[in-house]
Amino acid sequence: MNAAPTERSAAARAVSALVHQPYIWAIVALALLLIINLTKNPAYLAVSVNPATGDLSGNVIDILRASAPVMMIAVGMTLVIATRGIDLSVGSVMAVSGAVSMEFMQSSGSNDLGSAVLAGALALGISALLGTVNGILVSVVGLQPFITTLVMMLAGRGLAKVITAGQNTSATNDAFRWIANGTILGFPVVFIIAAAIVAIIAVLVRRTALGLMIEAIGINPKAARMAGIRPIGILISVYIVSAVLAGVAGIFATASVMTVEVAKTGMTAEMDAILAVVIGGTSLAGGKFSLTGSVIGALLIATLDKTIVYLSIPSSATPAFKAVVIVIVCLLQSQRVRAFFSQRRSSTTRTTKGAVSA
């Protein structure tokens, strides 16, 4: 008999905790976008099963598939921003990863699983090397993260062009293509891989002291050093993780079409990553971070891209439409706006109590 009030109390606490999360407005924006799409087509969220293949299909599945590359670079960017840095090279690293994998498979001429595994390993290895260079320049040489990764952004895009001789490169490998276009139990493989990687990283940073050390470096590097934390190794590791995840995103992007376009692959991906992190509630000033918020931000960006196409908004207006939605979410998350609404709510409560007392 006493269980019901206890359950209600637990539910109320859970709702209260969710409302006070920094990514609550990203969830609200995501819900609004889905409502807009549902207004146009009530069956927008319908998921059907292909009787021939058994795969799930529908707009939701498309959003999950499209969010995987953004999720990868957003999670890596979250860790970098948590250390008070930034990684502008993720888009170029995506291009390098795609270029390396496509060139390897094209030159090998093999269509087996081994060739796909070697191509992926080589692409991730080169990505890790670029991340190591970023990490050393930031932590050992002491260059600003913005300058370091800006240089790497330009150098990486040039490296991709050198690898492919400036040409779009295509290859044929069914196993590699399956990564982006295949399904497991009806769900896209690419999303399952991305979700598994995010889960592993979440366990590493939240079930060990690694997350606290990253936040400590972002809040106050000098104090963190005095507390016995060695920032060089952590900073290098964080930039390597960011680059490797960008390499994974590059594999996702190129595997879907089995072609790398060095001038377009990963283009403006760094902006999508930063936006996903910001609207997910992580501060650009470093310190506290939220992987959950960044994942929600990636889903929001994928839904936004899908909505723009779905509403037939002209391509010339796409950046403006995207910017308006992102700015609204960022404004709602700002401390000043939240303080303003909090003051308005307190003022309304006092007025109501005064009227009742009178």
Side-chain angles (χ1 to χ4, degrees):
M1 294 296 289
N2 297 329
T6 304
E7 290 176 359
R8 282 198 295 271
S9 178
R13 285 197 298 271
V15 172
S16 177
L18 178 62
V19 169
H20 288 87
Q21 290 296 329
Y23 49 78
I24 181 61
W25 290 110
I27 296 177
V28 173
L30 184 59
L32 287 176
L33 286 176
L34 294 177
I35 290 173
I36 291 172
N37 292 326
L38 283 171
T39 303
K40 183 178 181 181
N41 179 10
Y44 182 82
L45 295 180
V47 176
S48 59
V49 179
N50 188 323
T53 62
D55 297 339
L56 300 177
S57 62
N59 293 311
V60 175
I61 302 301
D62 293 341
I63 290 172
L64 294 181
R65 192 189 302 275
S67 68
V70 185
M71 199 181 296
M72 289 291 89
I73 55 176
V75 168
M77 186 71 77
T78 302
L79 300 179
V80 172
I81 287 177
T83 64
R84 205 182 285 189
I86 198 152
D87 190 351
L88 300 178
S89 64
V90 289
S92 296
V93 174
M94 285 179 64
V96 172
S97 173
V100 169
S101 55
M102 288 297 118
E103 280 290 328
F104 178 84
M105 286 185 289
Q106 188 188 63
S107 60
S108 68
S110 177
N111 191 20
D112 57 12
L113 176 61
S115 177
V117 172
L118 287 176
L122 187 58
L124 296 184
I126 297 295
S127 300
L129 180 61
L130 297 179
T132 304
V133 173
N134 277 337
I136 290 175
L137 291 177
V138 170
S139 62
V140 179
V141 180
L143 292 179
Q144 290 291 325
F146 181 89
I147 300 300
T148 300
T149 56
L150 180 63
V151 172
M152 184 59 74
M153 180 177 73
L154 300 174
R157 189 69 62 179
L159 177 61
K161 291 181 179 179
V162 169
I163 293 172
T164 62
Q167 304 296 319
N168 297 338
T169 302
S170 300
T172 301
N173 190 297
D174 294 336
F176 202 84
R177 183 190 295 274
W178 179 80
I179 293 174
N181 299 328
T183 59
I184 295 178
L185 299 177
F187 290 91
V189 172
V190 66
F191 179 77
I192 294 174
I193 294 175
I197 292 175
V198 172
I200 292 171
I201 293 176
V203 170
L204 284 177
V205 298
R206 291 308 185 196
R207 296 296 180 184
T208 69
L210 181 59
L212 291 176
M213 289 191 286
I214 290 174
E215 290 179 339
I217 292 173
I219 294 171
N220 192 326
K222 186 177 292 184
R225 195 178 300 110
M226 294 177 66
I229 298 173
R230 296 182 178 181
I232 292 180
I234 293 177
L235 284 173
I236 293 176
S237 300
V238 164
Y239 279 94
I240 290 176
V241 169
S242 177
V244 169
L245 292 180
V248 174
I251 290 175
F252 289 168
T254 53
S256 60
V257 292
M258 291 306 292
T259 300
V260 59
E261 299 181 56
V262 290
K264 294 182 178 179
T265 300
M267 184 61 70
T268 70
E270 57 278 355
M271 296 308 300
D272 283 346
I274 294 171
L275 289 174
V277 173
V278 172
I279 63 181
T282 296
S283 170
L284 290 175
K288 294 290 184 181
F289 66 91
S290 171
L291 292 182
T292 303
S294 298
V295 170
I296 295 172
L299 289 171
L300 175 61
I301 289 177
T303 306
L304 185 57
D305 289 337
K306 180 81 175 174
T307 301
I308 290 172
V309 176
Y310 196 67
L311 297 180
S312 301
I313 295 176
S315 58
S316 57
T318 298
F321 183 83
K322 204 170 179 178
V324 168
V325 175
I326 299 301
V327 166
I328 291 174
V329 174
C330 290
L331 280 176
L332 291 173
Q333 287 182 341
S334 72
Q335 291 186 352
R336 287 191 177 184
V337 174
R338 297 175 76 172
F340 172 77
F341 282 116
S342 178
Q343 290 175 356
R344 293 274 298 178
R345 189 163 55 248
S346 299
S347 176
T348 303
T349 304
R350 285 197 299 271
T351 303
T352 305
K353 287 182 177 177
V356 171
S357 299

